[in-house]
Amino acid sequence: MSEIFHLLHDAGHAGHRGVLATITALTKPGARAIGAHMAVLEGGESAGSFSSGCVEQAIIAEALAALDEGASRSVRFGEGSRYIDIRLPCGGGMDVSFLVDPAGDVLAQAIDRLDTRQPVALRLDPAGHLALSHDPGATATGWNDGVFTVRHDPTLRLVLLGHGPEMLTSLKLARTFGAEVVLYSPDDAIVAAGLAEGTMAVHLLSAADPPTLEGDPWTAFLFLFHDHDWEPALIGQALETPAFWIGAMGSRATHAARRAALAAHGLAETAIARIHGPVGLIAGARDPMTLGLSALTEIVGAYHALR
């Protein structure tokens, strides 16, 4: 979302006009969810997508027509549309709101909230006004009293802690997905590789005196230690955060031993129960790539369930 909002904000700041297009309704499941955005500038430049390429040019053309007219509008595409030559890949119809010249100050506030890892909720009324909801954390995407509201949460942050090849495969997969990744390892080579990837990477020096871990409601912690002596203090810190997911690599027997070790360190059973283990959706995954993919799939599923 930041890319879309930045494109419109920066263009407006430079004196160029633009349109914020938003899916406000679907008659059948679509390629994109209700609340998805596209940005279109007066020169035809765009960001975001609503399909696999079959409707984007029509969206851009409609946005430019709205700019020429100088008025916001809502248009149906697909089933029930006046555009009989445009068909959506999943069938059905899609209603799109075209908001001409969205307020720059509202876009700036939305960008700032997302950049500081806070949820944001935009209110788009049919008259063409854009505003922020006062309580984005309690806002759901959809129509309410004639105003369409769309909520956006901060991007997934994945904190990887451990050593071994699973760390770098998980890092690459998470970066490809688009997650923000933070890496902690006692292995100099892994830290160096993380830094080379442009990732924040911290060298762990002592299991007894680890650095302070931070996490918010959109953060997941994945522990990938083969030497489990590193785990108790670090997992204890992760459990003190509001992270939505905490998990650790290992078999069922390993996880049972981990739970016992954490209990011996004084952690409450209710806290220990938050830890996922064995991690991943592919049972018995052993090679680093499969394990990383299996764990990331579970984490992404839990992240999307937050909405």
Side-chain angles (χ1 to χ4, degrees):
M1 288 305 103
S2 286
E3 176 191 359
I4 291 170
F5 296 157
H6 269 293
L7 180 64
L8 288 168
H9 176 267
D10 293 347
H13 190 69
H16 302 297
R17 304 182 68 201
V19 174
L20 177 65
T22 306
I23 298 175
T24 58
L26 295 167
T27 62
K28 293 182 181 178
R32 300 292 182 270
I34 292 175
H37 297 300
M38 281 183 63
V40 181
L41 302 186
E42 58 186 346
E45 182 182 356
S46 68
S49 66
F50 286 166
S51 71
S52 299
C54 60
V55 73
E56 277 70 19
Q57 288 305 311
I59 296 294
I60 292 171
E62 193 70 39
L64 294 178
L67 273 177
D68 286 342
E69 185 181 322
S72 299
R73 60 179 70 177
S74 180
V75 178
R76 165 67 63 89
F77 294 88
E79 185 178 71
S81 171
R82 69 177 185 267
Y83 297 115
I84 61 175
D85 58 333
I86 298 173
R87 293 290 181 267
L88 303 183
C90 299
M94 176 177 71
D95 291 338
V96 178
S97 163
F98 293 88
L99 185 64
V100 172
D101 296 325
D105 60 333
V106 176
L107 292 173
Q109 292 176 66
I111 291 167
D112 181 67
R113 288 190 66 88
L114 290 173
D115 286 350
T116 56
R117 299 191 59 78
Q118 301 175 71
V120 62
L122 296 175
R123 292 169 52 83
L124 297 78
D125 74 44
H129 300 124
L130 182 68
L132 290 183
S133 170
H134 295 300
D135 189 11
T139 301
T141 296
W143 286 95
N144 186 30
D145 294 331
V147 175
F148 184 77
T149 302
V150 55
R151 170 176 166 168
H152 298 294
D153 287 335
T155 188
L156 166 64
R157 173 184 284 161
L158 177 61
V159 181
L160 295 171
L161 306 99
H163 42 224
E166 296 85 0
M167 288 286 286
L168 295 183
T169 55
S170 297
L171 168 63
K172 293 180 184 297
L173 287 166
R175 289 282 297 257
T176 300
F177 167 74
E180 176 184 326
V181 183
V182 181
L183 184 152
Y184 292 84
S185 179
D187 187 321
D188 288 340
I190 289 176
V191 172
L195 292 173
E197 291 280 342
T199 298
M200 176 182 171
V202 178
H203 186 208
L204 295 174
L205 300 175
S206 168
D209 186 25
T212 301
L213 301 182
E214 296 182 355
D216 57 32
W218 302 276
T219 295
F221 289 90
L222 176 57
F223 291 85
L224 297 170
F225 285 105
H226 295 271
D227 178 358
H228 300 291
D229 289 342
W230 284 96
E231 292 181 346
L234 289 166
I235 290 180
Q237 283 199 43
L239 290 171
E240 292 176 356
T241 75
F244 74 91
W245 191 95
I246 300 170
M249 177 180 68
S251 65
R252 294 184 184 279
T254 298
H255 192 58
R258 173 184 296 119
R259 291 175 65 106
L262 292 171
H265 276 73
L267 272 73
E269 182 58 36
T270 52
I272 296 173
R274 290 178 60 195
I275 307 167
H276 294 255
V279 297
L281 300 183
I282 303 173
R286 294 182 182 276
D287 67 275
M289 184 60 73
T290 303
L291 190 147
L293 180 61
S294 176
L296 184 61
T297 303
E298 179 180 345
I299 291 166
V300 172
Y303 171 71
H304 281 284
L306 297 173
R307 304 177 181 182

mmCIF file with all atom_site columns, all heavy atoms in Angstrom, residues 104-119:
data_model
loop_
_atom_site.group_PDB
_atom_site.id
_atom_site.type_symbol
_atom_site.label_atom_id
_atom_site.label_alt_id
_atom_site.label_comp_id
_atom_site.label_asym_id
_atom_site.label_entity_id
_atom_site.label_seq_id
_atom_site.pdbx_PDB_ins_code
_atom_site.Cartn_x
_atom_site.Cartn_y
_atom_site.Cartn_z
_atom_site.occupancy
_atom_site.B_iso_or_equiv
_atom_site.pdbx_formal_charge
_atom_site.auth_seq_id
_atom_site.auth_comp_id
_atom_site.auth_asym_id
_atom_site.auth_atom_id
_atom_site.pdbx_PDB_model_num
ATOM 1   N N   . GLY A 1 104 ? -3.867 15.085 -0.286 1.00 0.00 ? 104 GLY A N   1
ATOM 2   C CA  . GLY A 1 104 ? -2.458 14.800 -0.024 1.00 0.00 ? 104 GLY A CA  1
ATOM 3   C C   . GLY A 1 104 ? -2.137 14.668 1.450  1.00 0.00 ? 104 GLY A C   1
ATOM 4   O O   . GLY A 1 104 ? -1.301 13.842 1.838  1.00 0.00 ? 104 GLY A O   1
ATOM 5   N N   . ASP A 1 105 ? -2.810 15.464 2.301  1.00 0.00 ? 105 ASP A N   1
ATOM 6   C CA  . ASP A 1 105 ? -2.513 15.387 3.722  1.00 0.00 ? 105 ASP A CA  1
ATOM 7   C C   . ASP A 1 105 ? -2.985 14.057 4.307  1.00 0.00 ? 105 ASP A C   1
ATOM 8   O O   . ASP A 1 105 ? -2.334 13.483 5.185  1.00 0.00 ? 105 ASP A O   1
ATOM 9   C CB  . ASP A 1 105 ? -3.144 16.558 4.474  1.00 0.00 ? 105 ASP A CB  1
ATOM 10  C CG  . ASP A 1 105 ? -4.660 16.602 4.333  1.00 0.00 ? 105 ASP A CG  1
ATOM 11  O OD1 . ASP A 1 105 ? -5.183 16.109 3.307  1.00 0.00 ? 105 ASP A OD1 1
ATOM 12  O OD2 . ASP A 1 105 ? -5.321 17.125 5.251  1.00 0.00 ? 105 ASP A OD2 1
ATOM 13  N N   . VAL A 1 106 ? -4.102 13.532 3.783  1.00 0.00 ? 106 VAL A N   1
ATOM 14  C CA  . VAL A 1 106 ? -4.588 12.237 4.254  1.00 0.00 ? 106 VAL A CA  1
ATOM 15  C C   . VAL A 1 106 ? -3.635 11.130 3.810  1.00 0.00 ? 106 VAL A C   1
ATOM 16  O O   . VAL A 1 106 ? -3.311 10.225 4.585  1.00 0.00 ? 106 VAL A O   1
ATOM 17  C CB  . VAL A 1 106 ? -6.013 11.972 3.738  1.00 0.00 ? 106 VAL A CB  1
ATOM 18  C CG1 . VAL A 1 106 ? -6.484 10.577 4.137  1.00 0.00 ? 106 VAL A CG1 1
ATOM 19  C CG2 . VAL A 1 106 ? -6.969 13.031 4.276  1.00 0.00 ? 106 VAL A CG2 1
ATOM 20  N N   . LEU A 1 107 ? -3.178 11.195 2.560  1.00 0.00 ? 107 LEU A N   1
ATOM 21  C CA  . LEU A 1 107 ? -2.213 10.208 2.081  1.00 0.00 ? 107 LEU A CA  1
ATOM 22  C C   . LEU A 1 107 ? -0.933 10.258 2.908  1.00 0.00 ? 107 LEU A C   1
ATOM 23  O O   . LEU A 1 107 ? -0.360 9.214  3.244  1.00 0.00 ? 107 LEU A O   1
ATOM 24  C CB  . LEU A 1 107 ? -1.898 10.454 0.605  1.00 0.00 ? 107 LEU A CB  1
ATOM 25  C CG  . LEU A 1 107 ? -3.026 10.184 -0.388 1.00 0.00 ? 107 LEU A CG  1
ATOM 26  C CD1 . LEU A 1 107 ? -2.607 10.637 -1.787 1.00 0.00 ? 107 LEU A CD1 1
ATOM 27  C CD2 . LEU A 1 107 ? -3.391 8.702  -0.404 1.00 0.00 ? 107 LEU A CD2 1
ATOM 28  N N   . ALA A 1 108 ? -0.475 11.452 3.248  1.00 0.00 ? 108 ALA A N   1
ATOM 29  C CA  . ALA A 1 108 ? 0.744  11.592 4.052  1.00 0.00 ? 108 ALA A CA  1
ATOM 30  C C   . ALA A 1 108 ? 0.568  10.957 5.425  1.00 0.00 ? 108 ALA A C   1
ATOM 31  O O   . ALA A 1 108 ? 1.477  10.284 5.932  1.00 0.00 ? 108 ALA A O   1
ATOM 32  C CB  . ALA A 1 108 ? 1.110  13.068 4.194  1.00 0.00 ? 108 ALA A CB  1
ATOM 33  N N   . GLN A 1 109 ? -0.589 11.158 6.035  1.00 0.00 ? 109 GLN A N   1
ATOM 34  C CA  . GLN A 1 109 ? -0.848 10.551 7.336  1.00 0.00 ? 109 GLN A CA  1
ATOM 35  C C   . GLN A 1 109 ? -0.910 9.026  7.229  1.00 0.00 ? 109 GLN A C   1
ATOM 36  O O   . GLN A 1 109 ? -0.421 8.315  8.110  1.00 0.00 ? 109 GLN A O   1
ATOM 37  C CB  . GLN A 1 109 ? -2.157 11.089 7.908  1.00 0.00 ? 109 GLN A CB  1
ATOM 38  C CG  . GLN A 1 109 ? -2.117 12.563 8.293  1.00 0.00 ? 109 GLN A CG  1
ATOM 39  C CD  . GLN A 1 109 ? -3.478 13.042 8.758  1.00 0.00 ? 109 GLN A CD  1
ATOM 40  O OE1 . GLN A 1 109 ? -3.991 12.612 9.788  1.00 0.00 ? 109 GLN A OE1 1
ATOM 41  N NE2 . GLN A 1 109 ? -4.088 13.927 7.988  1.00 0.00 ? 109 GLN A NE2 1
ATOM 42  N N   . ALA A 1 110 ? -1.513 8.525  6.149  1.00 0.00 ? 110 ALA A N   1
ATOM 43  C CA  . ALA A 1 110 ? -1.591 7.078  5.949  1.00 0.00 ? 110 ALA A CA  1
ATOM 44  C C   . ALA A 1 110 ? -0.200 6.488  5.776  1.00 0.00 ? 110 ALA A C   1
ATOM 45  O O   . ALA A 1 110 ? 0.128  5.435  6.354  1.00 0.00 ? 110 ALA A O   1
ATOM 46  C CB  . ALA A 1 110 ? -2.456 6.759  4.733  1.00 0.00 ? 110 ALA A CB  1
ATOM 47  N N   . ILE A 1 111 ? 0.623  7.148  4.991  1.00 0.00 ? 111 ILE A N   1
ATOM 48  C CA  . ILE A 1 111 ? 2.000  6.684  4.779  1.00 0.00 ? 111 ILE A CA  1
ATOM 49  C C   . ILE A 1 111 ? 2.760  6.672  6.100  1.00 0.00 ? 111 ILE A C   1
ATOM 50  O O   . ILE A 1 111 ? 3.468  5.715  6.418  1.00 0.00 ? 111 ILE A O   1
ATOM 51  C CB  . ILE A 1 111 ? 2.717  7.581  3.750  1.00 0.00 ? 111 ILE A CB  1
ATOM 52  C CG1 . ILE A 1 111 ? 2.108  7.378  2.356  1.00 0.00 ? 111 ILE A CG1 1
ATOM 53  C CG2 . ILE A 1 111 ? 4.215  7.299  3.724  1.00 0.00 ? 111 ILE A CG2 1
ATOM 54  C CD1 . ILE A 1 111 ? 2.529  8.426  1.341  1.00 0.00 ? 111 ILE A CD1 1
ATOM 55  N N   . ASP A 1 112 ? 2.613  7.744  6.870  1.00 0.00 ? 112 ASP A N   1
ATOM 56  C CA  . ASP A 1 112 ? 3.319  7.839  8.151  1.00 0.00 ? 112 ASP A CA  1
ATOM 57  C C   . ASP A 1 112 ? 2.883  6.721  9.102  1.00 0.00 ? 112 ASP A C   1
ATOM 58  O O   . ASP A 1 112 ? 3.725  6.121  9.780  1.00 0.00 ? 112 ASP A O   1
ATOM 59  C CB  . ASP A 1 112 ? 3.062  9.202  8.793  1.00 0.00 ? 112 ASP A CB  1
ATOM 60  C CG  . ASP A 1 112 ? 3.799  9.360  10.114 1.00 0.00 ? 112 ASP A CG  1
ATOM 61  O OD1 . ASP A 1 112 ? 5.037  9.410  10.086 1.00 0.00 ? 112 ASP A OD1 1
ATOM 62  O OD2 . ASP A 1 112 ? 3.132  9.436  11.163 1.00 0.00 ? 112 ASP A OD2 1
ATOM 63  N N   . ARG A 1 113 ? 1.595  6.428  9.148  1.00 0.00 ? 113 ARG A N   1
ATOM 64  C CA  . ARG A 1 113 ? 1.118  5.366  10.034 1.00 0.00 ? 113 ARG A CA  1
ATOM 65  C C   . ARG A 1 113 ? 1.685  4.008  9.616  1.00 0.00 ? 113 ARG A C   1
ATOM 66  O O   . ARG A 1 113 ? 2.127  3.230  10.459 1.00 0.00 ? 113 ARG A O   1
ATOM 67  C CB  . ARG A 1 113 ? -0.419 5.324  10.049 1.00 0.00 ? 113 ARG A CB  1
ATOM 68  C CG  . ARG A 1 113 ? -1.066 6.484  10.781 1.00 0.00 ? 113 ARG A CG  1
ATOM 69  C CD  . ARG A 1 113 ? -2.553 6.244  10.970 1.00 0.00 ? 113 ARG A CD  1
ATOM 70  N NE  . ARG A 1 113 ? -2.801 5.109  11.858 1.00 0.00 ? 113 ARG A NE  1
ATOM 71  C CZ  . ARG A 1 113 ? -2.895 5.187  13.169 1.00 0.00 ? 113 ARG A CZ  1
ATOM 72  N NH1 . ARG A 1 113 ? -2.744 6.353  13.778 1.00 0.00 ? 113 ARG A NH1 1
ATOM 73  N NH2 . ARG A 1 113 ? -3.131 4.105  13.888 1.00 0.00 ? 113 ARG A NH2 1
ATOM 74  N N   . LEU A 1 114 ? 1.653  3.712  8.332  1.00 0.00 ? 114 LEU A N   1
ATOM 75  C CA  . LEU A 1 114 ? 2.175  2.424  7.873  1.00 0.00 ? 114 LEU A CA  1
ATOM 76  C C   . LEU A 1 114 ? 3.687  2.340  8.084  1.00 0.00 ? 114 LEU A C   1
ATOM 77  O O   . LEU A 1 114 ? 4.211  1.285  8.450  1.00 0.00 ? 114 LEU A O   1
ATOM 78  C CB  . LEU A 1 114 ? 1.823  2.206  6.405  1.00 0.00 ? 114 LEU A CB  1
ATOM 79  C CG  . LEU A 1 114 ? 0.336  1.965  6.123  1.00 0.00 ? 114 LEU A CG  1
ATOM 80  C CD1 . LEU A 1 114 ? 0.080  1.925  4.617  1.00 0.00 ? 114 LEU A CD1 1
ATOM 81  C CD2 . LEU A 1 114 ? -0.152 0.675  6.776  1.00 0.00 ? 114 LEU A CD2 1
ATOM 82  N N   . ASP A 1 115 ? 4.390  3.451  7.840  1.00 0.00 ? 115 ASP A N   1
ATOM 83  C CA  . ASP A 1 115 ? 5.842  3.454  8.026  1.00 0.00 ? 115 ASP A CA  1
ATOM 84  C C   . ASP A 1 115 ? 6.230  3.255  9.490  1.00 0.00 ? 115 ASP A C   1
ATOM 85  O O   . ASP A 1 115 ? 7.315  2.756  9.789  1.00 0.00 ? 115 ASP A O   1
ATOM 86  C CB  . ASP A 1 115 ? 6.447  4.765  7.506  1.00 0.00 ? 115 ASP A CB  1
ATOM 87  C CG  . ASP A 1 115 ? 6.490  4.822  5.991  1.00 0.00 ? 115 ASP A CG  1
ATOM 88  O OD1 . ASP A 1 115 ? 6.241  3.782  5.344  1.00 0.00 ? 115 ASP A OD1 1
ATOM 89  O OD2 . ASP A 1 115 ? 6.763  5.919  5.442  1.00 0.00 ? 115 ASP A OD2 1
ATOM 90  N N   . THR A 1 116 ? 5.366  3.677  10.411 1.00 0.00 ? 116 THR A N   1
ATOM 91  C CA  . THR A 1 116 ? 5.628  3.500  11.843 1.00 0.00 ? 116 THR A CA  1
ATOM 92  C C   . THR A 1 116 ? 4.880  2.291  12.402 1.00 0.00 ? 116 THR A C   1
ATOM 93  O O   . THR A 1 116 ? 4.707  2.172  13.605 1.00 0.00 ? 116 THR A O   1
ATOM 94  C CB  . THR A 1 116 ? 5.241  4.770  12.624 1.00 0.00 ? 116 THR A CB  1
ATOM 95  O OG1 . THR A 1 116 ? 3.871  5.102  12.362 1.00 0.00 ? 116 THR A OG1 1
ATOM 96  C CG2 . THR A 1 116 ? 6.142  5.938  12.243 1.00 0.00 ? 116 THR A CG2 1
ATOM 97  N N   . ARG A 1 117 ? 4.440  1.411  11.506 1.00 0.00 ? 117 ARG A N   1
ATOM 98  C CA  . ARG A 1 117 ? 3.826  0.126  11.851 1.00 0.00 ? 117 ARG A CA  1
ATOM 99  C C   . ARG A 1 117 ? 2.582  0.308  12.715 1.00 0.00 ? 117 ARG A C   1
ATOM 100 O O   . ARG A 1 117 ? 2.431  -0.313 13.767 1.00 0.00 ? 117 ARG A O   1
ATOM 101 C CB  . ARG A 1 117 ? 4.840  -0.822 12.504 1.00 0.00 ? 117 ARG A CB  1
ATOM 102 C CG  . ARG A 1 117 ? 6.015  -1.157 11.581 1.00 0.00 ? 117 ARG A CG  1
ATOM 103 C CD  . ARG A 1 117 ? 6.868  -2.286 12.093 1.00 0.00 ? 117 ARG A CD  1
ATOM 104 N NE  . ARG A 1 117 ? 6.119  -3.517 12.278 1.00 0.00 ? 117 ARG A NE  1
ATOM 105 C CZ  . ARG A 1 117 ? 5.755  -4.353 11.294 1.00 0.00 ? 117 ARG A CZ  1
ATOM 106 N NH1 . ARG A 1 117 ? 6.057  -4.074 10.039 1.00 0.00 ? 117 ARG A NH1 1
ATOM 107 N NH2 . ARG A 1 117 ? 5.088  -5.463 11.557 1.00 0.00 ? 117 ARG A NH2 1
ATOM 108 N N   . GLN A 1 118 ? 1.690  1.151  12.209 1.00 0.00 ? 118 GLN A N   1
ATOM 109 C CA  . GLN A 1 118 ? 0.381  1.329  12.817 1.00 0.00 ? 118 GLN A CA  1
ATOM 110 C C   . GLN A 1 118 ? -0.682 1.051  11.751 1.00 0.00 ? 118 GLN A C   1
ATOM 111 O O   . GLN A 1 118 ? -0.482 1.364  10.574 1.00 0.00 ? 118 GLN A O   1
ATOM 112 C CB  . GLN A 1 118 ? 0.207  2.765  13.327 1.00 0.00 ? 118 GLN A CB  1
ATOM 113 C CG  . GLN A 1 118 ? 1.224  3.210  14.350 1.00 0.00 ? 118 GLN A CG  1
ATOM 114 C CD  . GLN A 1 118 ? 1.018  4.674  14.690 1.00 0.00 ? 118 GLN A CD  1
ATOM 115 O OE1 . GLN A 1 118 ? 0.053  5.052  15.346 1.00 0.00 ? 118 GLN A OE1 1
ATOM 116 N NE2 . GLN A 1 118 ? 1.926  5.524  14.228 1.00 0.00 ? 118 GLN A NE2 1
ATOM 117 N N   . PRO A 1 119 ? -1.813 0.485  12.135 1.00 0.00 ? 119 PRO A N   1
ATOM 118 C CA  . PRO A 1 119 ? -2.869 0.268  11.145 1.00 0.00 ? 119 PRO A CA  1
ATOM 119 C C   . PRO A 1 119 ? -3.453 1.594  10.683 1.00 0.00 ? 119 PRO A C   1
ATOM 120 O O   . PRO A 1 119 ? -3.390 2.596  11.401 1.00 0.00 ? 119 PRO A O   1
ATOM 121 C CB  . PRO A 1 119 ? -3.906 -0.555 11.910 1.00 0.00 ? 119 PRO A CB  1
ATOM 122 C CG  . PRO A 1 119 ? -3.692 -0.182 13.350 1.00 0.00 ? 119 PRO A CG  1
ATOM 123 C CD  . PRO A 1 119 ? -2.212 0.055  13.487 1.00 0.00 ? 119 PRO A CD  1
#
